[in-house]
Amino acid sequence: MRPARRDTPRTLPARLLTGLAALIGLVVVGALCPGSALAQSPAARSAAAPSPGAQAAGLHISDGRLLEGNGNDFVMRGVNHAHTWYPGETQSLADVKALGANSVRVVLSDGHRWSENGPADVAAVIEQCKANRLICVLEVHDTTGYGEDAAAGTLDHAADYWIGLKDVLAGQEDYVIVNIGNEPWGNTDPAGWTEPTTAAVKKLRAAGLQHTIMVDAPNWGQDWQGVMRANARSVYDADPTGNLIFSIHMYSVFDTAQEITDYLNAFVDAELPILIGEFGGPADQYGDPDEDTMMATAEQLGLGYLAWSWSGNTDPVLDLALDFDPSRLSGWGERIFHGVNGIAQTSEEATVYGGGAPDDTEAPTAPGTPSATAVTDTSVTLGWVAATDDTAVTGYDVVLVGDGAGTTVASSTTTTATVTGLTAATTYTFAVHARDAAGNRSAPSATVEVTTDEGGGTPDGTCSVGYRVVGEWPGGFQGEIAVRNTGSAAVGPWTLAFAFADGQSITNMWGGTATQNAGAVSVAPASYTATIPAGGTVTLGFTARKGDTNTAPAAFTLDGASCVTT
C-alpha cells in the first residue's frame, strides 16, 4: 500500500520538476560519457566482473537477462501487493494469478517502521506464491525515502532482516527474488545511495544468500538525478554471483516517451539487467505518467514490469482492484490487465511450474450463454456455465458487444460478474470469454440482451447538472460537476451517471467515487456529499486523461432520471 503515496517525493521544488527532462536527458547523459562505469566495453566488463550467473541455482542473470534455472528467459508481468498492511488478504495472490499475472512483488516489513513479518509469515507467503504458480519478489518497505523521511530504515537493517530469514529462503532460488529495500533513498544527497547499496549486496552474499537480488533506485525510486544509472556497473560488479537486477520506479517523473526509452535503453545497451519494479498511470499533482510507453517499451525490450498496486491504497486512484475485489477492476486495473501490452496479452507463466509454456496454444471452450439477474437502472449481474480447457480456466471477461466488437466491462474468476455504470432504460448486449494461464482466450459465448430499469429515485425535472473544464494540459484535464436538487425533498444517497464520447478516462475524483466502463461513468457520493437537500447543490471535482478532443458529456441522470444540463 502507498498510503497517500507516502513514498512519493512530496517536497520536490517546482523548479526541479520543471527541469526533469533536462536533468534526465542532459545531466545524466553527461555522467555517462564513454569513460563512465555504465558505458564500459563488454571486454572491460568481463575482465572486471565474475561470469554472470556463475553460482546460480535458480533464477539468475546472464548477459543482462533474467533467466530461470533451466535457462528459459523470464519476463515479469505482475503487480505489487501490500501484504504487510493487509495480512488477511490472502486471496489476493490467487486473484492476480487468475487475471494472468506471472509474478507478484510482496510488501514486507523488517520491523523498523511497521510490524515485522516473521519467518512463519514469510514462509507462508512463499508457499502461497508457489501454490498460485507465481514468481515471488519479496521487498522490505521500511527503507522508503531514507535520508529524507526520518522514519525510514537503512539498507543495512534490511540486509540483517534477510539474513535472519536465510533458513526460510534457502532452496527457494527458483521461485523467489530478494528486493533488499524499497526506494531506499529520497531526494536528499541521492549520491549517498551507492555505498550502502553495494555494502548490502556484499553482506547478503557473504551470508550465503544465492538468490537473485533486486535493488531499487534513489530519488524515491525514480532516479531522476541519474545516480543509479551512472553507478549501476560498479554496484553490479560488487555482486560476486552476478545475479543482481536493477529496479526503476516510474511515476510522474517519467511523463514523456523520450525519458522512458532513454532510461531503459541505457541499461539494455550496457547489458545490465533492469525492470520497472513499480509504475503508475493515473495523473497526480506532479504530472501524468506515460504508462503506455512504459508498457510498450518493456514489451519491445523484453523487460519485466510490476504495476502498483493491487488494492488498499489510501488514495484509491492507484488501486488496480477496488476493495480487493477482482470483479471490480478500476480503469487503471483494466489498463494493466486487459489493455494493449497488458498482463493478459503478454504474460507467460514461469516454466518451473510446468505451465504457460509457449506450446500451450489451445484456447478454452466458449462459456455458456450468460443469463441476467439483479437488473437495476445502472447495473446487471450475469451468470454462465463454466468453460473447459486442456489445462485450466483461470478467468472470464464480460464484453459489451457493439458494431461487431467487444469491449471488456468486467472480469471474474468465477462464473458470475456484475457490470456497473450502465444507463437507465437502455438495452445492452453482453457476451463472455474464458481465459487460461497462458493467456489464450476463448471464442465468445452466445450473447444476451439486457434492458436496464427506468429508475426513478428522483423525478424527471428535479435535478440539474453543471459541467465545466477547469483546466487542460496535453493528455489530461481537470473537470467539475455541480449537481443541484431542484425538487422539494432531499435526495440521497444518490447515483450520478453520464458518458464520455471521446475516450476520456477519470483518474481521480473528490466528492464522490467514480466507476468507469468504457465511456460510461457512474458516480457514488462521498460521505459528506451523500445527501443533497432540497434546493441544495453538491460539487464533484476530478482529473482525467483525454485525447485530442474533449467533448463534454451530453446528458446526466440522477438515480436513473434525466437532469437538466446547464
Side-chain angles (χ1 to χ4, degrees), residues 1-25:
M1 179 180 69
R2 289 202 160 180
R5 291 282 296 121
R6 64 156 64 101
D7 42 5
T8 298
R10 289 299 188 189
T11 57
L12 277 178
R15 63 180 183 277
L16 292 182
L17 289 171
T18 303
L20 284 176
L23 284 167
I24 293 176

Side-chain angles (χ1 to χ4, degrees), residues 155-491:
L155 280 171
D156 187 64
H157 189 271
D160 287 339
Y161 172 75
W162 295 119
I163 293 169
L165 292 171
K166 183 178 177 181
D167 291 344
V168 171
L169 299 172
Q172 306 297 336
E173 291 85 355
D174 278 311
Y175 310 97
V176 172
I177 292 173
V178 175
N179 189 177
I180 307 177
N182 182 69
E183 301 179 1
W185 212 273
N187 293 318
T188 303
D189 187 25
W193 167 90
T194 306
E195 183 177 346
T197 299
T198 301
V201 171
K202 290 181 176 180
K203 190 171 191 176
L204 293 180
R205 294 309 188 203
L209 270 72
Q210 296 296 315
H211 305 71
T212 295
I213 287 175
M214 184 181 295
V215 296
D216 283 9
N219 294 129
W220 301 83
Q222 298 196 77
D223 199 30
W224 60 267
Q225 289 176 294
V227 171
M228 184 172 83
R229 182 172 169 177
N231 293 279
R233 174 58 60 190
S234 65
V235 174
Y236 182 81
D237 288 350
D239 183 354
T241 72
N243 295 318
L244 184 144
I245 187 168
F246 296 94
S247 173
I248 182 67
H249 293 183
M250 290 187 165
Y251 292 97
S252 53
V253 164
F254 291 92
D255 56 0
T256 70
Q258 192 70 50
E259 291 164 343
I260 295 162
T261 56
D262 281 355
Y263 195 93
L264 296 177
N265 275 292
F267 281 77
V268 171
D269 291 346
E271 295 187 357
L272 286 167
I274 191 168
L275 84 159
I276 307 174
E278 285 185 22
F279 68 107
D284 60 26
Q285 67 192 86
Y286 302 110
D288 187 3
D290 184 358
E291 70 275 16
D292 292 340
T293 297
M294 296 175 201
M295 296 168 72
T297 306
E299 180 65 13
Q300 176 192 0
L301 298 175
L303 304 180
Y305 66 64
L306 300 166
W308 187 276
S309 75
W310 176 239
S311 197
N313 291 281
T314 299
D315 182 353
V317 69
L318 285 171
D319 282 357
L320 296 160
L322 305 179
D323 298 323
F324 294 93
D325 184 349
S327 69
R328 299 174 59 211
L329 293 183
S330 65
W332 173 225
E334 289 289 351
R335 174 69 187 93
I336 288 298
F337 287 105
H338 303 308
V340 176
N341 298 310
I343 286 174
Q345 190 179 92
T346 65
S347 175
E348 293 185 7
E349 186 177 84
T351 59
V352 71
Y353 293 117
D359 59 355
D360 181 8
T361 59
E362 183 175 339
T365 62
T369 304
S371 59
T373 59
V375 180
T376 72
D377 55 335
T378 60
S379 66
V380 60
T381 298
L382 301 175
W384 55 87
V385 175
T388 60
D389 188 58
D390 60 328
T391 55
V393 174
T394 58
Y396 296 91
D397 298 324
V398 178
V399 296
L400 177 63
V401 180
D403 298 325
T407 301
T408 300
V409 292
S411 297
S412 177
T413 58
T414 67
T415 55
T416 62
T418 299
V419 182
T420 60
L422 305 179
T423 302
T426 303
T427 299
Y428 295 90
T429 302
F430 299 102
V432 182
H433 294 266
R435 288 179 279 102
D436 65 17
N440 299 309
R441 199 183 197 202
S442 75
S445 68
T447 61
V448 61
E449 282 194 355
V450 180
T451 301
T452 52
D453 292 344
E454 292 185 0
T458 303
D460 285 351
T462 61
C463 58
S464 66
V465 174
Y467 177 94
R468 71 185 184 101
V469 172
V470 177
E472 291 190 77
W473 54 90
F477 70 102
Q478 180 178 333
E480 182 181 277
I481 305 171
V483 184
R484 179 174 174 78
N485 176 10
T486 58
S488 58
V491 175

